[in-house]
Amino acid sequence: MIGTCGFTSFNLAANSAEVGYVLNRTRWGEELAPEALRAVLRFGFSGLGLHRIEAHYMTGNEKSLRVMQKAGMKFEGVLRDYMFVKGDYVSVGVASILSSEFGR
Ligand SMILES: CC(C)(COP(=O)(O)OP(=O)(O)OC[C@H]1O[C@@H](n2cnc3c(N)ncnc32)[C@H](O)[C@@H]1OP(=O)(O)O)[C@@H](O)C(=O)NCCC(=O)NCCS
C-alpha cells in the first residue's frame, strides 16, 4: 500500500463532498496523487452524480494545492485559524471543482 485517496465527507443536501489523500513519502513526485484524485473526481461526478467536490489543505502545504490544481480544482481562498492542531490555530486552504468543469 502506497497511499490513500477518497471521500472524507458528504453534504447530501448540497450534493457535494470533500476529498482527501495521502501518499508514502517514497513515492512523492511521480504525480500519483493527481492521478488518483482525478479518478476519485470522475467517480464522484459520473458515478455518484455530485455537483461540487472540494478539498482542504493546511497553509504551508502548498504542494497539496498543486495536486488539486493538477486535477482541475480551483483555489477558492483561506479559512483563517480554522483548525486547532497541537496547541496552535492553523489556517486551511480550500479548492473545489464543479461537475460542469470536470473534463474540460
Ligand atoms: C501532497 C502529496 C499527496 C503529493 O503527491 P504527489 O503524487 O507527490 O504529487 P505530485 O507528484 O503531483 O507533486 C505535487 C507537488 O508536490 C511537491 N513535491 C513533489 N515531490 C516532492 C518531494 N519529493 N519533496 C517535496 N515536495 C515534493 C511539488 O511541489 C509538486 O508540485 P510540482 O509538480 O508543480 O513541482 C504528498 O506530498 C503527500 O502525501 N503529502 C503528505 C500528506 C498530505 O499533505 N496530504 C494532503 C493533505 S491535504
Side-chain angles (χ1 to χ4, degrees), residues 1 5 9 12 34 45 54 56 60 69 75 92 94 96 98 102:
M1 179 165 166
C5 179
S9 67
L12 298 180
F45 291 130
E54 68 182 52
H56 292 185
Q69 291 171 327
F75 176 70
V92 169
V94 183
S96 74
L98 304 179
F102 186 69

Side-chain angles (χ1 to χ4, degrees), residues 21-25 27-34 56-58 61-64 66-68 70:
Y21 41 81
V22 60
L23 189 66
N24 189 303
R25 193 180 290 263
R27 302 300 299 269
W28 286 8
E30 300 176 42
E31 300 204 327
L32 294 175
H56 292 185
Y57 66 94
M58 289 187 191
N61 187 18
E62 269 67 29
K63 62 179 179 289
S64 186
R66 284 289 300 140
V67 170
M68 297 167 195
K70 287 180 184 184

Side-chain angles (χ1 to χ4, degrees), residues 8-10 14 16 21 23-24 30 41 46 57 63 67 73 79-80 82 88 90 92 97 101 104:
T8 57
S9 67
F10 290 90
S16 69
Y21 41 81
L23 189 66
N24 189 303
E30 300 176 42
L41 295 179
S46 301
Y57 66 94
K63 62 179 179 289
V67 170
M73 304 180 88
L79 302 166
R80 298 177 302 151
Y82 190 66
D88 275 319
V90 177
V92 169
I97 183 169
E101 298 166 338
R104 282 186 191 166

